[in-house]
Amino acid sequence: MNYTRITSKLSRRLTRFALVLAGVAATVTGCKESYLKPEPLSLYEPGLTFSTRSGLDAAMAICDRHIRSYWTYFQYVDLSLPISTEYMFTELAVASKTDDGNIFADIATRLTPTDMPERVPYFWDETYNGIKYANTVISFIDNVPGLTDAVKNEYRGRALFHRSFRYLSLCFQFKDVPLVTKILQVPKLNYKTTKREAILKMITADMEKAVEWVPNQAQMTLTGMVNKAACRHLLIKCYLATGQFDKAIEQADLLINSSGYSLMQANFGNDVRPYATTWPVTRNVIWDLHRPENKAISANKETILVMPNRINTDMGIKMNSMRNWLPFMDYANTKAPDGKQALRYFATSNSNFRAQYDYVHTYGRGIAHIRPTWFAQKSLWYVNGKDDTGDLRHSSAAGNWMRMDSLKYNDPTSTYYGQKIRLRNTNGSYFTDDTIRCWFDWPHYKYYVEDPNETQNVNEANHRGGAGDWYLFRLAETYLLRAEAKFYKGDIAGATADVNMIRQRAKCTQLYTTVSIGDIMNERARELNMEEWRFTELSRVSYCLALSGKPDEAGVTYSVDNLAQNSYWYQRIQRYSEFYNKGKVTVRNRSYTMAPNNISWPIPQSAINANGGNKLRQNVGYSGYDATVSMWENWEDAVADEDKQ
């Protein structure tokens, strides 16, 4: 049974409880004096609402559903997804919607506590909302009669997972943040910032409990709920972040060798290869692994935790993945040599429709909210100085990777109809006036998510991407986390073997003889595109690398106390992105820039203003930074202070 079924039944209750949850806690995201007025803000009493197991199930379901929102943000999905913002802060992608006068390119000067474009505020607000939902379960679990201690601990363990997942993210997006661990009876307006190191210590201890309390997936009848393996996977990241590398390896060994999971090595599950007339896919394990229809099935032994997301159900929220991440291919100013529009999208009912050039349904109608860098498209795939053409993740021959020059002019009125499209003329001039937004390659196997409502409508010339199950954690990442831990410990042979396991599964012809931290992070980029929170992981790895004292691939070492001035994250931006800080690309009179201190995003000024009783610590390099603002040095003091007004 899939978790979608139970959460669909709870949908009405979820909506109602979401309103309750919004009122039962005041977090640092803001509090108004109106909260203190006698008029009730909710007709529901939390003490009664969460006094039954069904109430706890609904709150737990909100926690599960909420994580998915970072990929399926339900507002303005034609314009941005939160996960896209993560990638704008990395060496792999940049903002590319060039018709946006406020395009988020000049990050170094644009990102401030009062101007936080794209979905940066979403990561603050909604992450604290997720913490609130988890705290609700923890705060009210003892109010539910008839539950054994073991069952209560299962709920606690899952809630601790959700809270720890979010705090780990906050620590490596925003650094030092307020610690909120309970539901308060009255608003609190005098939080203090808690040091990142203290929060990391707390969530590590919490995840040790969660690993003990939460059952294995094999003991559960539902897929999509937090399980023991997911807790163990998150604990590995916590151990890495606290410098406990031996413990990280130990937990990864257990997850890889003794938990019933394994890398998928051959074709499996549903054979989903539509529109083969336009773009044939040779069935392969990478393609099958990333079909939404295969991510939650029992045959998939690699899935640790999946986020169910089914179209035309109460749990189905469109990702619009192709809309956001594919090039703007039907741009009117991308021309054939005869001046006709290069690529056209035709509805099935249109007289110009031809099945062999059905690009709208086969790939989707993109607007390129973000675009990959040259590094992500090309350089990343060179290993040992060679382009690894065998790598299924980058294989156009297999049908997994889409290249612009594989497309053909499809306007029947063009004299170039049926010929491969070209970017440049023989004299070197471009056939488009927008190479940023309209011309790049992409991983078709990752981004293609069908929306049957659009593809089955014969009059529809859009295909933006439907709702589909998405991975939160899978075993491939566990191998790469273990490789990282082994690297920090100096076990380069062990780290190399783990990275090569992932490469061998992808049918790579080039294997590593030795790996650097750069090789490990490159493999994460190849394997976990749009699964990992790339910026957050690079920030975490920058911190871990500094803790370890090990050099990066260029021989540079780093200091934990100096990451705002120089970090591995920033060095990767400098080395591999052709956009940021190169002065070569300008869009809308904005240059692509990134600053070293952007490794920590600014604490929103709105949160600082709302917390009138104390001053929250702003991060280095942003307006309002003050090194004298005090912080909690340990989490126990922060928790003890929560009940003080």
Side-chain angles (χ1 to χ4, degrees), residues 6-20 44 58 62 65 314-315:
I6 188 170
T7 49
S8 294
K9 293 178 181 178
L10 289 169
S11 62
R12 290 189 180 88
R13 190 174 293 160
L14 287 175
T15 302
R16 186 182 70 193
F17 286 171
L19 295 174
V20 176
Y44 297 95
I62 292 177
R65 183 178 185 178
D314 290 339
M315 286 298 294

Side-chain angles (χ1 to χ4, degrees), residues 191-417:
Y191 280 95
K192 285 173 58 175
T193 299
T194 299
K195 287 191 68 174
R196 170 164 61 185
E197 290 78 4
I199 295 175
L200 293 174
K201 183 177 180 181
M202 184 196 79
I203 64 173
T204 301
D206 284 346
M207 289 315 301
E208 289 173 336
K209 297 173 187 174
V211 167
E212 178 184 352
W213 291 339
V214 176
N216 290 305
Q217 181 63 55
Q219 299 170 271
M220 299 162 59
T221 58
L222 300 171
T223 301
M225 295 175 65
V226 172
N227 55 51
K228 186 181 294 292
C231 294
R232 197 180 300 281
H233 189 92
L234 185 56
L235 178 58
I236 294 168
K237 293 191 179 188
C238 291
Y239 279 146
L240 287 169
T242 52
Q244 300 180 78
F245 306 133
D246 285 324
K247 288 185 177 181
I249 294 169
E250 179 184 4
Q251 291 298 316
D253 287 344
L254 288 170
L255 187 46
I256 291 169
N257 301 325
S258 308
S259 300
Y261 296 89
S262 59
L263 294 178
M264 300 306 295
Q265 301 286 358
N267 302 342
F268 72 98
N270 300 284
D271 184 5
V272 182
R273 291 179 290 164
Y275 309 108
T277 301
T278 302
W279 184 250
V281 173
T282 301
R283 192 177 184 191
N284 60 85
V285 64
I286 296 297
W287 178 264
D288 283 352
L289 185 66
H290 291 283
R291 301 285 46 79
E293 297 86 349
N294 291 336
K295 291 180 179 179
I297 63 175
S298 60
N300 189 343
K301 303 301 182 184
E302 189 165 333
T303 300
I304 292 174
L305 186 58
V306 69
M307 297 175 286
N309 187 32
R310 307 293 172 80
I311 195 96
N312 298 331
T313 72
D314 290 339
M315 286 298 294
I317 300 178
K318 290 182 61 174
M319 293 182 63
N320 283 24
S321 54
M322 291 103 82
R323 184 72 163 167
N324 279 276
W325 301 335
L326 265 62
F328 187 18
M329 291 187 287
D330 64 333
Y331 178 51
N333 284 342
T334 300
K335 304 291 188 179
D338 61 0
K340 296 294 180 68
Q341 185 172 326
L343 299 173
R344 301 288 302 276
Y345 287 161
F346 299 114
T348 307
S349 60
N350 190 296
S351 61
N352 289 316
F353 174 83
R354 302 290 187 273
Q356 68 268 39
Y357 303 129
D358 181 11
Y359 295 145
V360 66
H361 296 123
T362 303
Y363 307 117
R365 189 173 186 272
I367 59 169
H369 186 75
I370 61 172
R371 63 153 290 150
T373 59
W374 178 265
F375 174 73
Q377 296 174 73
K378 306 290 185 179
S379 307
L380 176 65
W381 304 94
Y382 279 75
V383 174
N384 301 327
K386 298 179 180 179
D387 185 2
D388 194 336
T389 57
D391 192 332
L392 285 173
R393 300 164 300 186
H394 197 235
S395 174
S396 297
N400 290 342
W401 186 270
M402 192 60 217
R403 295 169 52 100
M404 286 294 293
D405 57 15
S406 295
L407 299 170
K408 297 179 180 180
Y409 298 109
N410 71 334
D411 184 340
T413 68
S414 172
T415 57
Y416 288 84
Y417 179 73

Side-chain angles (χ1 to χ4, degrees), residues 118-133:
E118 291 294 335
R119 300 295 173 236
V120 174
Y122 186 90
F123 280 100
W124 178 273
D125 295 338
E126 291 307 308
T127 302
Y128 269 109
N129 274 337
I131 290 167
K132 175 176 60 182
Y133 303 149

